């Protein structure tokens, strides 16, 4: 076999992005908050960038006098970018034809939904679900601390825990000191899942003993369902009891039913019938067999329904209330405003973005005859980076405005009549209109928000699929968002004693001029709206 050095030639086609284009693409895909972070990092690394202490300008541009006399190559790059801004974008109505040479680049609980995300409505994840509608029911509200994990916040509660004298004496009689007892509670805390439940260990997993402490081993056996909690020693039972007393109530439960019971026992004036249902008829409750529950407990179906309504105060996922996930802060990058009867699009720039400029003191070193060659080279290098960074910021907004104006061209009814008039549209449509690659459009709309007269929307929300209203090739398409809104409205307004079936919904949509098949209604109801079928939405009273 010949393993010597050989010389050969071949041809291949490849595309290489310039550093300037790479920087533009990177900045374009950042949202407003990420962009501010990137600016801070650039300010720290580049001395040629600074924030103007004067009042922020409306638009930040790179001026000719900011370029050094010896930097001809900088002017060439600037001239290229200047060509991109030659279009007239004075209004939305006529701006989509502008320059296209930018860089490319109820009482009945919906248990299926309820047990899935702990919510009875869309705002539930932001509420304390252990709190009822009345202010008197505010109990066990957890301290809001987004900087710590679930386990860390429970350890903080453990630090504040102090057992009663009788409890400590009983532990001492079991040869368990307070320090040892706290370690048992901490071990249980580390055994919680994200819902706040004690995780069961599968039987086929080999036992893990992290300590010579027999109580730790006993906890492991309990988690493996080898020993019932009721048969465990006093310290283990007390450790679980202490954990289940932490806030929010329901933490430390071994299953969903126990989680509900912990909360129901703690809530003042919680209906005794509801507790009996949890204790004796849980499986029938999940299947909504109210008549059977009433018969077994000797009460009417109406009483059962009234008791079931109180379960809305219970939280199926108490761990979520102490999770360290932050509420996302939305900052609009664009806004659509009505100016003198014409809709216009404007960029929304933070104060930091408006005040960014080139440091003139450092730039003056280039004209200083006494400066060394190395100093001038250092300034020249960082000046080039500073100018390119500022231009990339400006072109980010120019591209986003171009995309937003093209969206307006196709979605005029949305901005003039309301969200119900959103039309089907895909990103390729906008890419064709502005003569850009679809990847550039995707970067421009992903994570970006626009402030409109109807609220703040992510730009991606303007892109929806459609359902043809007739079989002809040029048949009208109706936005899936419009269909979803119509289905949700019909379900909200239906007679809860006689809820609409999927076919009935399709028939009512047809009366409104919306042609949708029954299977499409079923798909949207289940996958998009997360609504139960008619049999599960039915009220008995």
């Amino acid at each position: 076999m010949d393993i010597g050095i050989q010389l050969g030639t071949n041809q291949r086609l490849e595309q290489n992005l310039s550093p300037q284009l790479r920087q533009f693409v990177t900045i374009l895909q950042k949202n407003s908050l990420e962009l501010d972070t990137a600016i801070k990092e650039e300010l720290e690394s580049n001395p040629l960038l600074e924030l103007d202490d004067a009042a922020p300008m409306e638009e930040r541009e790179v001026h000719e006098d900011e370029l050094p006399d010896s930097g001809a190559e900088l002017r060439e790059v600037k001239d290229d970018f200047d060509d991109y801004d030659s279009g007239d974008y004075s209004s939305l109505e006529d701006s989509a034809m502008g320059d296209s040479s930018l860089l490319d680049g109820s009482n009945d609980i919906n248990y299926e939904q309820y047990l899935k995300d702990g919510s009875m409505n869309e705002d539930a994840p932001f509420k304390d679900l252990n709190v009822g509608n009345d202010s008197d029911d505010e109990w066990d509200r957890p301290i809001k601390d987004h900087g710590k994990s679930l386990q860390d916040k429970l350890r903080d509660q453990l630090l504040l825990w102090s057992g009663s004298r009788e409890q400590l004496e009983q532990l001492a009689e079991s040869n368990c000191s307070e320090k040892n007892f706290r370690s048992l509670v901490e071990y249980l805390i580390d055994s919680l899942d994200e819902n706040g439940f004690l995780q069961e260990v599968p039987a086929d997993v080999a036992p893990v003993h992290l300590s010579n402490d027999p109580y730790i081993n006993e906890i492991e056996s309990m988690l493996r369902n080898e020993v019932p909690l009721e048969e465990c020693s006093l310290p283990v039972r007390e450790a679980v009891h202490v954990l289940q007393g932490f806030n929010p109530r329901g933490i430390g439960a071994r299953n969903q039913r126990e989680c509900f019971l912990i909360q129901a026992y703690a809530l003042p004036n919680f209906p005794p019938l509801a507790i009996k249902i949890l204790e004796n008829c849980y499986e029938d409750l999940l299947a909504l067999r109210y008549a059977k529950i009433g018969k077994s407990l000797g009460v009417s179906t109406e009483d059962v329904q009234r008791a079931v309504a109180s379960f809305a105060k219970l939280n199926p996922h108490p761990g979520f209330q102490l999770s360290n996930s932050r509420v996302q802060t939305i900052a609009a990058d664009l806004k659509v405003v009505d100016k003198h009867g014409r809709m216009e699009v404007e960029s929304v720039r933070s104060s930091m973005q408006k005040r960014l400029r080139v440091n003139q003191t450092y730039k003056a070193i280039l004209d200083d005859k006494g400066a060394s060659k190395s100093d001038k080279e250092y300034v020249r290098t960082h000046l080039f980076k500073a100018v390119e960074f500022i231009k990339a910021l400006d072109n980010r907004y120019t591209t986003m405005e171009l995309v937003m104006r093209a969206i307006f061209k196709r979605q005029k009814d949305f901005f003039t009549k309301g969200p119900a008039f959103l039309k089907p549209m895909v990103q390729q449509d906008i890419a064709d209109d502005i003569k850009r690659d679809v990847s550039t459009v995707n970067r421009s709309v992903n994570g970006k928000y626009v402030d409109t007269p109807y609220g703040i929307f992510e730009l991606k929300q303007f892109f929806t699929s459609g359902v043809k209203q007739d079989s002809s090739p040029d048949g009208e398409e109706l936005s899936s968002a419009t269909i979803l809104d119509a289905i949700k409205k019909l379900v909200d307004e239906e007679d809860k004693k006689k809820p609409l079936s999927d076919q009935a919904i399709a028939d009512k949509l047809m009366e409104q001029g919306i042609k949708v098949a029954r299977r499409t209604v079923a798909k949207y109801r289940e996958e998009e709206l997360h609504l139960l079928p008619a049999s599960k939405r039915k009220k008995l009273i």
Side-chain angles (χ1 to χ4, degrees), residues 150-151 192-197 199 317-320 323:
L150 166 64
Q151 281 71 20
L192 297 175
D193 61 15
E194 63 180 5
N195 295 322
F197 292 177
Q199 300 184 69
H317 307 298
F320 287 173
S323 67

Side-chain angles (χ1 to χ4, degrees), residues 479-509:
S479 168
S480 58
T482 301
I483 300 174
L484 286 170
D485 184 68
I487 294 175
K488 186 176 185 302
K489 185 176 181 181
L490 286 174
V491 173
D492 290 342
E493 296 176 353
E494 69 183 359
D495 183 357
K496 300 305 178 183
K497 295 183 180 181
K498 297 180 180 180
L500 298 172
S501 65
D502 293 337
Q503 184 60 54
I505 293 176
D507 294 341
K508 286 188 173 293
L509 290 176

Side-chain angles (χ1 to χ4, degrees), residues 41 93 160 359 373 399 407 447 516:
E41 294 175 352
E93 284 79 358
L160 299 176
N359 188 305
K373 183 178 179 180
T399 304
I407 290 176
V516 184

Side-chain angles (χ1 to χ4, degrees), residues 523-537:
K523 177 183 176 181
Y524 284 178
R525 174 184 56 76
E526 294 176 1
E527 299 180 5
E528 301 293 337
L529 298 174
H530 304 291
L531 295 174
L532 292 174
S535 61
K536 296 291 183 67
R537 301 199 307 270

Side-chain angles (χ1 to χ4, degrees), residues 190-371:
D190 291 331
S191 302
L192 297 175
D193 61 15
E194 63 180 5
N195 295 322
F197 292 177
L198 288 172
Q199 300 184 69
E200 292 187 3
V201 181
D204 56 348
V205 177
V208 178
H209 302 295
L210 302 180
S211 171
N212 294 325
D213 189 340
Y215 296 126
I216 295 293
N217 298 333
E218 193 174 353
I219 290 176
E220 279 290 323
S221 299
M222 183 266 295
L223 295 177
R224 299 169 63 86
N225 291 321
E226 297 174 352
V227 179
L229 177 62
E230 294 76 14
E231 297 180 7
C232 291
S233 60
L234 175 68
V236 173
R237 287 186 279 113
E238 282 299 314
V240 173
H241 176 74
V242 168
L243 177 60
Q244 293 179 350
F246 289 165
N247 294 330
R249 293 300 172 88
I251 289 288
R254 291 166 292 171
N255 52 56
Q256 192 71 75
R257 174 176 168 271
E258 186 176 39
C259 174
F260 285 151
L261 282 171
I262 293 171
Q263 298 177 59
Y265 292 147
L267 272 172
N269 302 320
F270 197 79
L273 178 57
I275 296 178
K276 286 184 179 181
I277 293 174
L278 290 173
E279 292 176 336
N280 306 312
C281 308
Y282 186 69
E283 295 300 326
D284 291 330
L285 172 65
L286 294 180
L288 303 181
R289 293 192 284 260
Y290 295 164
K292 185 178 179 179
I293 295 174
K295 184 177 180 180
S296 63
L297 297 181
V299 296
S300 66
T301 302
E302 291 78 7
D303 291 337
V304 172
Q305 279 209 299
R306 282 191 289 268
V308 168
S310 62
F311 293 150
K313 297 180 180 180
L314 308 182
N315 182 0
H317 307 298
F320 287 173
Q321 289 185 245
L322 292 182
S323 67
N324 59 352
S325 58
R326 297 176 180 270
V327 177
Q328 181 183 5
T329 301
I330 295 178
D333 299 89
L334 301 161
K335 62 180 178 180
V336 176
V337 295
D338 187 352
K339 289 189 175 181
H340 308 294
R342 299 192 67 172
M343 304 292 286
E344 297 184 4
V345 75
E346 295 179 355
S347 299
V348 179
R349 304 199 184 194
S350 67
S351 175
M352 180 181 297
Q353 296 165 24
K354 291 180 180 180
R355 296 163 55 201
L356 192 65
R357 70 174 185 179
V358 173
N359 188 305
Q360 299 299 308
T361 302
Y362 277 98
K363 190 172 74 68
I365 296 179
L366 293 176
D367 300 325
D368 186 0
K369 297 181 179 180

